[in-house]
Amino acid sequence: MKTTQTDSLTDLTRKGTSIEFFSAYQERDIERMMALFDPAGEFWLMPLGPDPQGTIGDLGRNFWTGVIGAFPDIDNTVDKVTADGDKIICNVALFGTQTADFAGITNKGLRFNSDHIFIFRFNEDDKIEAVAIDWDHTSFQQQLGV
Amino acid sequence: MLYQKYQPAPHLRPFVECYYVWENAALPAQPMTVESPPNGYGSLVFNYGDPYRLQTQKNGTKVVPASFLSGQSTRSYQLQLQGQIGMIGAVFRPAGLNSLFGLPMYEFVDERIDLSAILGDGIRTIQERIAEPNSVIGRIRLLETFLSNQMTRTNAITDRTDYVANLIVDKRGIINIHALMDELYVCRRQFERKFLQKVGVSPKYYARIRRISYLCAQLASKHWNVDDWHDVIYRAGYYDQSHFIREFTGFTGRIPSLYVRDNVELANFLKS
């Protein structure tokens, strides 16, 4: 059985990993982002369905590659990072300017700024084994002219 | 009941907001619950009284380590005290813990981490000395000596992030962060990254914490008697009532009227 102290220190490590993800995302470095995940882990875009839609190594990689391609100035501000059991919850503002069609949204050259919640679930080896992302999709679409 | 704040020595004031000592002379008949909203400060706390518990929405109820470091709180928390109360704490200016100890403060948000896990077993000596019978001033001197030694060891200095974080405090969170960044000619990304490292949350989020903190302190100073909510909301810098209720409920877990009705807040014990 782990002690409370070990739990706390594990949380600190996992928070650091989560920050590293957003740093890599800022640098639009897909390989650095993917290195933090178990590629077989679940990838879930919460506004788009009630269950995970695919794996991190497959759908996750494609999704983030698509985001970076369509929003080449994509950037983020991490508002806060908190722990909840084996999950790290990150409140993050994402923003960027659309330069190509993306996920059915026609490019109108508009900019979005949207609060997101990233929930990372970690395995015993402190790799991220599931990621769920939530945001106000209606607002996101409206900002991009849908 | 004694809850007394003390000013730090001048050389530590860039980092330390105040010290506090909290003791009770007589054992209370009933356990006591004290609630505190997020206040925008981190702290080092040494308990020389009976163990006590912390209740949070996230973790439920847990015994608090005898000495711990706490980072920014983003939700209200409750202390459940019984028996002998005896604790001394150093409350840090928003970036002070990072400037003195070099710790990445985003890791400590909503956490109370055993000091020995962070600073090593050497801290146990301080813990033991603080626990020995002593006067209030004697304990404060021990704590101040420890922090002074830390300051010397790390050559701690403040920087632009400390300045901005302190400015957010001074302005009670009512500040335009983007305009401030323009004014200071700072790169947004670097500035936000540094702020997250030194304070624990983003500048914008910190301003929100300070706004709610100031508002709760104002309410507490009036013993939770609110004559005019519109005036309270306006002075705290909220756009309108729904914005205020959303923010207040988000940080405290309750709607304002319920919070005011139920609350027994730490500030009630403050002596000015």
Side-chain angles (χ1 to χ4, degrees), chain A residues 6 17 31 46 60 74 120:
Chain A
T6 310
T17 301
E31 296 312 318
M46 295 172 79
I74 185 90
F120 298 119

Side-chain angles (χ1 to χ4, degrees), chain B residues 11 20-21 31 51 82 85 136 147 161 182 188 191 198 203 219 234 242 244 251 259 262:
Chain B
H11 66 283
Y20 73 87
V21 172
Q82 57 184 3
I85 297 171
V136 166
L147 295 175
T161 308
D182 288 344
R188 179 195 59 77
F191 170 69
K198 291 202 70 168
L219 293 177
Y234 171 75
S242 67
F244 163 68
F251 280 112
Y259 187 87
D262 293 346

Side-chain angles (χ1 to χ4, degrees), chain B residues 39-241:
Chain B
N39 64 15
Y41 297 109
S43 60
L44 291 185
V45 179
F46 296 84
N47 182 29
Y48 50 91
D50 289 332
Y52 62 96
R53 293 170 182 275
L54 172 81
Q55 186 176 2
T56 60
Q57 205 169 39
K58 186 188 79 177
N59 290 328
T61 306
K62 281 188 173 177
V63 175
V64 176
S67 63
F68 64 85
L69 183 152
S70 71
Q72 292 294 331
S73 294
T74 68
R75 301 300 299 260
S76 281
Y77 57 86
Q78 292 183 331
L79 303 180
Q80 297 177 347
L81 302 132
Q82 57 184 3
Q84 196 74 57
I85 297 171
M87 64 182 87
I88 180 170
V91 178
F92 290 83
R93 306 198 85 182
L97 267 166
N98 172 277
S99 295
L100 269 182
F101 292 92
L103 299 165
M105 292 310 298
Y106 59 80
E107 294 190 341
F108 297 92
V109 171
D110 288 337
E111 306 280 0
R112 279 170 170 69
I113 307 288
D114 192 324
L115 272 184
S116 61
I118 305 163
L119 304 177
D121 286 336
I123 198 68
R124 291 195 200 282
T125 312
I126 310 291
Q127 167 72 27
E128 285 162 11
R129 291 192 65 194
I130 284 177
E132 289 168 2
N134 204 337
S135 65
V136 166
I137 297 301
R139 287 193 170 103
I140 287 174
R141 283 197 183 123
L142 283 171
L143 184 52
E144 186 146 270
T145 302
F146 166 66
L147 295 175
S148 296
N149 289 342
Q150 180 68 20
M151 188 185 130
T152 307
R153 199 163 39 238
T154 58
N155 289 320
I157 51 166
T158 58
D159 62 17
R160 192 180 293 193
T161 308
D162 296 70
Y163 168 77
V164 171
N166 293 336
L167 192 62
I168 293 172
V169 173
D170 293 343
K171 300 278 187 187
R172 304 164 184 171
I174 306 170
I175 191 166
N176 184 324
I177 302 295
H178 285 291
L180 183 64
M181 282 190 282
D182 288 344
E183 203 176 301
L184 292 171
Y185 298 106
V186 291
C187 162
R188 179 195 59 77
R189 191 189 284 186
Q190 283 177 359
F191 170 69
E192 287 178 345
R193 209 177 276 182
K194 193 86 184 287
F195 199 96
L196 187 71
Q197 181 89 7
K198 291 202 70 168
V199 179
V201 294
S202 71
K204 204 172 158 189
Y205 197 87
Y206 186 67
R208 289 171 60 196
I209 290 177
R210 281 305 303 167
R211 240 182 296 174
I212 210 74
S213 162
Y214 175 74
L215 185 142
C216 287
Q218 288 294 103
L219 293 177
S221 72
K222 293 175 180 171
H223 303 287
W224 308 94
N225 292 316
V226 182
D227 297 326
D228 184 353
W229 274 111
H230 289 289
D231 185 53
V232 170
I233 293 165
Y234 171 75
R235 284 175 186 275
Y238 294 100
Y239 307 127
D240 54 32
Q241 194 172 347

